[in-house]
Amino acid sequence: MAELSSNFLYAAFILYLIATFLFGGSIKDKRGAEEKKQNKWAKLGIMITILGFASQIGYFNTRWIAAGHAPVSNLFEFTTFFGMMLVGAFILIYFLYKLPALGLFALPIALLIIAYASMFPTEISPLIPALQSDWLHIHVTTAAAGQSILAISFIAAIIYLVKSVDQSQSSKRTFWLEIIMYTLVSTIGFVIITSTFAAMDYKANFDWVDKHDELAKQEFNLPALVGPHEGELTDTERFEPLVNMPAIINAKKLNTVIWSMGIGLVLYGLIRLISRKRVAALIKPIVKNVNLNLLDEISYRSVLIGFPIFTLGALIFAMIWAQVAWTRFWGWDPKEVWALVTWLFYAAFLHLRMSKGWQGEKSAWLAVIGFAIMIFNLIFVNLVIAGLHSYA
Amino acid sequence: MNEVKCDCGHVNPFGTKICSKCGMVLGNEKENKLIDMRYEGSARRSQTYKKTIIDKIWNFFSSVKVGVTLIVIALVASAIGTILPQEMYIPSTATPAEHYELEYGWFGKVYYELGFHNLYSSWWYLIIIGMLGISLLIASIDRFFPLYRSLKKQGVTRHDGFMKRQRIYGVTKLDEQDIDLEDVKKRLKKQRYHIREESGNILAEKGRFSRWGPYVNHIGLIIFLIGALLRSVPGMYIDKVLWLREGETKEIPGTNGEYYLQNNGFTLEVYDKENKEDEQYSAAIDKTGTIAKTYQSDVTLYEAQRETIPGEKVDLNKLKDFKIKVNEPLKHDHYALYQVDYKLDELSTMAFNLINKKTEENYGSLKVDLNNPQKKYELNKGYSVDLISYFPDFEFDEKGQPRTISKIPNNPAFIFKMYTPDKPDGEVSFVAIKETVEPLGENTYKMAFNGVETKDVTALTVRKDLTLWILFTGGIIFMVGVVQGSYWNHRRIWIKRKNEEILISGHTNKNWHGIKRDIKHAIESTSLCEPSDQLEEEKSSTKGEVLNG
């Protein structure tokens, strides 16, 4: 069952990839772009997307059966689920607005998220007592659904920015847009480097001294550019760290970040060298036919649809469950606080849109920040700030 | 203050920007190409009165700008509190002042000194939240009543200036052939528009109730905040911990002696890959090691008989048996008992034999209940032992005197006095684990260790929270309001006959795509011109873009 489940996920990944190219084709096709009706490419694209989505639901259900609980209990499972919900949210918004360009951006982001998720341990893990509750799937699925609809607002915003930011001269806006592009490329870097060394079964073991002055062991799965505090490499023929970190810093995680950003920089640099253009300028022609007002509306509408669902899942259901499992509905755990921060941010977003001058590009930048906060909560709060919600 | 009388005869309150009946623009908005439709141009207190100190406070809190600023401040402050763990999450044995510096260096020290280790209960954080609450209340009052009034009084026939300054506007020239609006009306009705007519002019409106969404959700939030505030009222909220050994019965703290709880046994279960039902987890178990499956306390809840005299033993009425697990608290009469912690194998009894050191002959056994020791133990005839001193958690202090660190029998030590027929005055022996001292000279007899019994201890949190239903009500009202405001839109379409022209204009509070679609459907079968989006025209004319939306 577990194997069947991973095959379904693999199939979904391939189908999303195909659908991305189909949406690409639909934009190239002049007939589709200028008329309001969808062209054949777009119709095929959304069909394949739905097929991929169905396949991923197949993954979800079979894994649920295999594990005996909803597969949303560790970082791999949750992040994959988030990717799936993002595709679901895209399908929903697509049928509201029929904009193929949205697919061309939403699907690659979903692919990146799923690929990123697969870099984490994928074994089926049992539930600790605190997670053994029906609220697990009620809370997590609703929260992820809300987040993914909010993420569509980010995707519409990216398209908006790619189209509206003036690429003829460099400015703050081009700089930040490139930062977003570079971040996406770095995620690809992370996936490439992690899977390459995982395929080589690379292991470098260190003896090191932790911040309580105690000896500890740590296994690196990437060549250690930075080593742990007073680290001694115990394996032979492994790369010696260039520098050791102080005990307070988690050298293994920092090392992964350095590698991802480095590979990201190489990839990004190559793109810039070959194309002699900013990445955003390179993809700008793709979106030349989309209507900025429509994108702005999709972005705003996604926040309107996503915000109540997010509130219900990430705050209200979360509080009810926390009251049952942890005796209190709110405990200022970092994950809780960052859900509140996300909620406050989108509340501010909705209030700002009422006043003049916060529509269009400014609103698009806000949607980008909102997504950054959610990703920060997903990745950074789980991996770096330890708390009750840490899964990895 | 003077009221404003519009040309149409309607009297509007002072400060009104758009006549609520005919929509004529009053005041100095006339120059703008499009009118600002927010709050229907009604007279809001905050926009009208700006003199006294009360006006100023009112205007401060009713401003959206101030509201957003407060939200952003709360957001940033909340985020800062997650950089390092809050005080409640550091080990309870650590002294915060030292812990932060020790663990996080100079940054931890600064963090602690600034009080960020207790950020969420700091006075300034509470002030920000309080100000947000006031802002919610005042901003809502400032907007709701004028908006309600002007939407209630709105007329059907609108002033031309109002029509043409709407974002969606179109004119159809009749050229002597008349257009029948009956079909348009029918189609609008089909789209669930509510139609009002006045001398051939039409106002089609739907989803007005979505305009109340923000105010409803603000009320929900205010109720939630009030609930959170009420927690500090005595009696509303109880948070205690009850440590209970297996077999032990204790009063449940916080219940004023009303309820007692007995621990019939504690179970800790872990996932076992040898077990058939857990075998799918074997890879994860190999990687992580032991993973807990269940924490469970089997308990019996008792109610104390009323009117007992203090000091007298209470009679207990059994209420129910229950298995408390994580996620399955025992609930009774507003109280809830949660499984939160445990301790396995705490020493419970310790047994000794009184023997002759030389012959090793046994003169009887005794068993000390480490949580409730006796003073005297009678052994074989003529033999007895007094327990002179008992140290449940023993250590030597600086002066070399024995003392106990806590009441928990982690490391018990005893001073026994052994009475035997040949030593009628008794011999004193100090007995600790793996250690016997004879402080008053060589003894003939000794207390020989004869085994221990252990018991598991469970920790339960006792919780009463009478504010929960208030918070829950607030949460539900918030959800209703936010759904009402987000998933419905207030759309209005005005159709006006004017000589040889038919004017159509439309307004929605959001989702312009939707209202355009509605209008298109409504006029499809007629020769009416589809009204255009004046905002898009403006943009495309300035930027010269080809738009296809």
Side-chain angles (χ1 to χ4, degrees):
Chain A
M1 193 61 95
E3 199 178 326
L4 178 67
S5 165
S6 46
N7 286 340
F8 268 129
L9 184 61
Y10 192 66
F13 192 88
I14 302 289
L15 288 166
Y16 294 154
L17 201 63
I18 296 171
T20 308
F21 286 109
L22 290 171
F23 281 121
S26 98
I27 275 178
K28 280 263 159 73
D29 190 338
K30 277 265 163 11
R31 272 172 307 173
E34 282 173 9
E35 290 164 27
K36 267 223 94 176
K37 281 181 192 145
Q38 308 173 70
N39 59 31
K40 272 185 196 152
W41 290 97
K43 275 188 186 144
L44 205 58
I46 191 71
M47 262 170 58
I48 299 290
T49 309
I50 292 170
L51 206 62
F53 186 64
S55 174
Q56 202 174 354
I57 286 180
Y59 142 83
F60 188 74
N61 286 337
T62 45
R63 191 172 169 103
W64 190 326
I65 295 165
H69 57 78
V72 287
S73 68
N74 61 30
L75 202 53
F76 161 71
E77 290 175 341
F78 179 77
T79 313
T80 313
F81 182 71
F82 178 57
M84 177 170 110
M85 294 308 266
L86 184 64
V87 175
F90 157 68
I91 295 171
L92 170 83
I93 301 288
Y94 183 84
F95 281 106
L96 288 178
Y97 293 98
K98 306 257 167 53
L99 189 70
L102 208 57
L104 191 56
F105 284 76
L107 290 176
I109 302 263
L111 283 169
L112 260 187
I113 289 172
I114 296 169
Y116 173 83
S118 311
M119 298 302 114
F120 292 94
T122 56
E123 311 94 16
I124 292 176
S125 46
L127 293 182
I128 58 164
L131 294 181
Q132 292 164 14
S133 166
D134 285 338
W135 286 107
L136 172 67
H137 53 260
I138 300 172
H139 154 63
V140 179
T141 52
T142 324
Q147 286 186 325
S148 58
I149 299 171
L150 292 173
I152 294 292
S153 125
F154 157 77
I155 285 157
I158 284 285
I159 305 175
Y160 190 103
L161 293 174
V162 167
K163 172 153 180 171
S164 81
V165 168
D166 179 10
Q167 294 288 353
S168 63
Q169 54 189 354
S170 77
S171 63
K172 252 191 214 157
R173 298 146 77 214
T174 58
F175 172 78
W176 284 106
L177 197 52
E178 286 311 286
I179 292 286
I180 299 169
M181 297 300 153
Y182 168 65
T183 311
L184 296 175
V185 173
S186 293
T187 315
I188 301 174
F190 170 77
V191 171
I192 291 174
I193 197 72
T194 314
S195 44
T196 308
F197 281 97
M200 288 161 58
D201 201 22
Y202 184 93
K203 284 188 179 98
N205 286 287
F206 284 89
D207 286 338
W208 66 293
V209 180
D210 70 11
K211 63 184 173 188
H212 301 291
D213 271 335
E214 278 163 37
L215 274 175
K217 286 186 187 300
Q218 196 169 32
E219 183 187 281
F220 279 56
N221 304 105
L222 294 175
L225 298 171
V226 294
H229 183 231
E230 294 179 23
E232 293 285 341
L233 194 57
T234 53
D235 292 316
T236 49
E237 288 181 42
R238 289 285 182 261
F239 186 81
E240 277 286 347
L242 303 171
V243 59
N244 285 339
M245 287 293 114
I248 209 162
I249 288 170
N250 186 329
K252 187 178 172 179
K253 284 170 184 169
L254 182 66
N255 188 52
T256 309
V257 171
I258 294 173
W259 267 106
S260 312
M261 296 186 71
I263 298 290
L265 205 60
V266 172
L267 287 175
Y268 179 83
L270 277 175
I271 301 172
R272 292 285 301 253
L273 265 176
I274 294 167
S275 69
R276 308 234 153 239
K277 271 183 191 159
R278 291 188 199 95
V279 176
L282 187 66
I283 54 180
K284 190 169 180 166
I286 301 177
V287 297
K288 67 172 187 290
N289 287 322
V290 290
N291 178 345
L292 283 180
N293 267 331
L294 186 64
L295 283 171
D296 183 48
E297 190 159 321
I298 292 174
S299 182
Y300 179 39
R301 190 95 188 276
S302 313
V303 175
L304 280 171
I305 299 174
F307 184 72
I309 300 175
F310 179 80
T311 312
L312 189 67
L315 292 169
I316 295 184
F317 288 163
M319 284 192 218
I320 296 173
W321 188 16
Q323 180 72 30
V324 176
W326 293 329
T327 83
R328 81 289 179 287
F329 63 90
W330 192 261
W332 300 108
D333 172 70
K335 194 91 182 175
E336 290 173 353
V337 177
W338 277 92
L340 176 70
V341 167
T342 312
W343 185 80
L344 286 172
F345 181 83
Y346 281 104
F349 176 101
L350 291 171
H351 285 95
L352 277 175
R353 276 213 62 121
M354 299 192 317
S355 39
K356 273 186 203 146
W358 281 91
Q359 276 124 14
E361 194 176 318
K362 270 191 185 168
S363 173
W365 285 112
L366 287 179
V368 171
I369 298 172
F371 185 73
I373 292 175
M374 288 195 292
I375 291 299
F376 181 85
N377 197 6
L378 173 63
I379 296 168
F380 199 75
V381 174
N382 274 355
L383 296 181
V384 182
I385 304 176
L388 295 169
H389 279 82
S390 286
Y391 309 120
Chain B
M1 288 285 176
N2 299 329
E3 288 169 324
V4 189
K5 194 170 178 185
C6 174
D7 294 351
C8 72
H10 185 71
V11 180
N12 294 288
F14 177 73
T16 306
K17 290 188 195 106
I18 303 171
C19 170
S20 64
K21 184 140 190 356
C22 74
M24 189 169 99
V25 180
L26 313 164
N28 49 10
E29 284 252 354
K30 281 182 185 157
E31 301 85 47
N32 299 340
K33 189 166 176 237
L34 295 178
I35 42 175
D36 183 2
M37 285 290 285
R38 282 191 302 158
Y39 316 110
E40 304 292 303
S42 57
R44 285 159 52 200
R45 189 188 197 287
S46 62
Q47 305 301 305
T48 313
Y49 303 100
K50 297 176 176 176
K51 287 214 176 93
T52 65
I53 180 86
I54 292 176
D55 292 344
K56 283 189 177 139
I57 293 172
W58 182 273
N59 299 350
F60 177 79
F61 281 111
S62 73
S63 149
V64 172
K65 220 182 259 171
V66 170
V68 170
T69 311
L70 285 170
I71 293 176
V72 173
I73 294 173
L75 182 162
V76 172
S78 303
I80 289 173
T82 63
I83 299 174
L84 295 182
Q86 291 289 296
E87 192 182 2
M88 58 199 151
Y89 288 115
I90 68 171
S92 53
T93 48
T95 327
E98 294 163 9
H99 178 83
Y100 283 93
E101 191 173 1
L102 211 67
E103 290 278 310
Y104 310 104
W106 64 268
F107 183 77
K109 190 179 156 96
V110 172
Y111 198 82
Y112 173 79
E113 308 247 304
L114 289 172
F116 290 168
H117 65 298
N118 251 331
L119 189 142
Y120 304 112
S121 49
S122 66
W123 59 270
W124 57 269
Y125 190 78
L126 297 177
I127 285 178
I128 295 167
I129 302 297
M131 284 173 76
L132 253 175
I134 296 169
S135 161
L136 278 169
L137 188 67
I138 292 184
S140 303
I141 294 173
D142 190 63
R143 288 167 175 76
F144 172 74
F145 293 100
L147 177 65
Y148 179 80
R149 236 178 284 132
S150 75
L151 280 178
K152 198 163 171 114
K153 282 186 198 152
Q154 64 176 326
V156 174
T157 312
R158 289 283 159 146
H159 194 266
D160 292 355
F162 176 90
M163 300 278 284
K164 80 171 177 230
R165 287 202 191 88
Q166 292 299 319
R167 185 171 149 183
I168 291 178
Y169 176 66
V171 185
T172 308
K173 295 242 185 296
L174 286 177
D175 296 334
E176 297 183 14
Q177 48 127 24
D178 197 31
I179 294 174
D180 186 14
L181 292 177
E182 278 310 308
D183 187 54
V184 177
K185 261 162 56 188
K186 213 187 283 165
R187 280 166 176 259
L188 283 170
K189 260 189 195 145
K190 225 176 179 180
Q191 298 184 69
R192 274 169 295 155
Y193 276 86
H194 175 74
I195 311 273
R196 278 168 66 197
E197 266 184 289
E198 185 185 274
S199 53
N201 303 324
I202 296 172
L203 163 59
E205 183 177 15
K206 77 172 173 187
R208 192 199 287 182
F209 85 108
S210 87
R211 292 292 282 271
W212 318 134
Y215 310 104
V216 174
N217 82 45
H218 284 182
I219 290 170
L221 286 175
I222 291 164
I223 293 174
F224 190 93
L225 289 176
I226 290 172
L229 210 65
L230 279 178
R231 168 166 293 204
S232 46
V233 174
M236 292 296 267
Y237 179 73
I238 284 166
D239 178 18
K240 306 262 182 206
V241 175
L242 170 63
W243 282 91
L244 206 56
R245 299 181 174 92
E246 285 174 318
E248 195 177 22
T249 306
K250 263 197 206 164
E251 178 193 328
I252 300 176
T255 65
N256 302 318
E258 207 179 331
Y259 295 104
Y260 283 70
L261 197 74
Q262 181 181 332
N263 179 357
N264 303 320
F266 174 81
T267 328
L268 164 66
E269 208 185 327
V270 296
Y271 287 98
D272 177 9
K273 57 182 175 178
E274 309 296 323
N275 189 340
K276 190 92 176 96
E277 66 180 83
D278 295 345
E279 64 187 358
Q280 70 269 34
Y281 306 132
S282 53
I285 295 170
D286 286 340
K287 203 163 184 176
T288 334
T290 314
I291 303 171
K293 190 178 190 175
T294 320
Y295 304 117
Q296 179 181 321
S297 302
D298 298 342
V299 296
T300 309
L301 178 69
Y302 295 98
E303 187 177 26
Q305 295 281 35
R306 283 167 206 286
E307 293 164 43
T308 48
I309 303 147
E312 201 173 290
K313 201 170 179 344
V314 267
D315 290 328
L316 298 178
N317 264 355
K318 179 175 165 178
L319 289 176
K320 58 178 150 186
D321 289 320
F322 195 83
K323 294 174 171 40
I324 301 179
K325 291 184 193 174
V326 179
N327 272 311
E328 290 169 37
L330 163 61
K331 287 184 186 163
H332 185 79
D333 182 27
H334 298 306
Y335 295 101
L337 290 158
Y338 298 87
Q339 181 71 53
V340 286
D341 204 354
Y342 64 92
K343 191 173 149 195
L344 293 180
D345 302 328
E346 186 182 276
L347 293 173
S348 133
T349 66
M350 211 171 240
F352 297 94
N353 293 331
L354 175 65
I355 60 168
N356 186 302
K357 282 193 337 198
K358 270 197 197 117
T359 63
E360 298 206 341
E361 194 178 338
N362 186 354
Y363 299 99
S365 315
L366 61 91
K367 194 192 253 181
V368 182
D369 180 346
L370 295 174
N371 295 306
N372 191 16
Q374 286 167 244
K375 285 238 160 69
K376 192 170 184 72
Y377 296 86
E378 294 291 340
L379 305 176
N380 293 359
K381 200 167 167 40
Y383 293 86
S384 69
V385 173
D386 280 4
L387 179 53
I388 303 174
S389 281
Y390 167 50
F391 310 96
D393 199 355
F394 145 80
E395 66 162 21
F396 283 114
D397 65 12
E398 304 88 39
K399 291 175 193 153
Q401 296 293 317
R403 68 169 178 197
T404 189
I405 311 165
S406 71
K407 283 183 177 171
I408 296 151
N410 291 324
N411 181 24
F414 313 86
I415 300 178
F416 291 116
K417 198 165 193 185
M418 304 167 284
Y419 297 96
T420 49
D422 55 322
K423 301 276 179 190
D425 292 340
E427 290 178 324
V428 174
S429 171
F430 175 86
V431 181
I433 291 170
K434 288 181 184 166
E435 189 177 6
T436 303
V437 181
E438 293 170 356
L440 305 174
E442 186 82 0
N443 291 342
T444 316
Y445 296 90
K446 79 166 193 185
M447 302 298 293
F449 177 70
N450 187 29
V452 291
E453 284 171 359
T454 60
K455 276 179 180 172
D456 297 337
V457 195
T458 185
L460 305 169
T461 283
V462 184
R463 181 79 65 162
K464 174 174 126 179
D465 195 342
L466 295 181
T467 67
L468 283 181
W469 69 271
I470 303 174
L471 299 169
F472 194 67
T473 310
I476 289 190
I477 294 175
F478 175 81
M479 273 317 295
V480 168
V482 83
V483 165
Q484 181 182 347
S486 309
Y487 293 172
W488 278 270
N489 317 293
H490 180 215
R491 293 176 187 163
R492 275 172 296 172
I493 299 164
W494 295 275
I495 303 175
K496 186 176 179 183
R497 278 177 185 279
K498 191 191 162 201
N499 307 329
E500 292 303 293
E501 287 176 342
I502 291 182
L503 313 182
I504 301 180
S505 61
H507 178 77
T508 178
N509 59 339
K510 58 188 184 293
N511 189 2
W512 294 87
H513 188 73
I515 192 174
K516 284 184 220 166
R517 202 179 42 209
D518 284 358
I519 295 176
K520 203 174 159 188
H521 277 301
I523 62 173
E524 230 164 27
S525 65
T526 64
S527 54
L528 285 167
C529 303
E530 194 181 332
S532 58
D533 185 336
Q534 303 201 62
L535 207 65
E536 280 196 10
E537 278 181 350
E538 202 176 324
K539 268 201 178 160
S540 57
S541 60
T542 51
K543 284 194 179 173
E545 282 168 342
V546 184
L547 293 159
N548 63 345

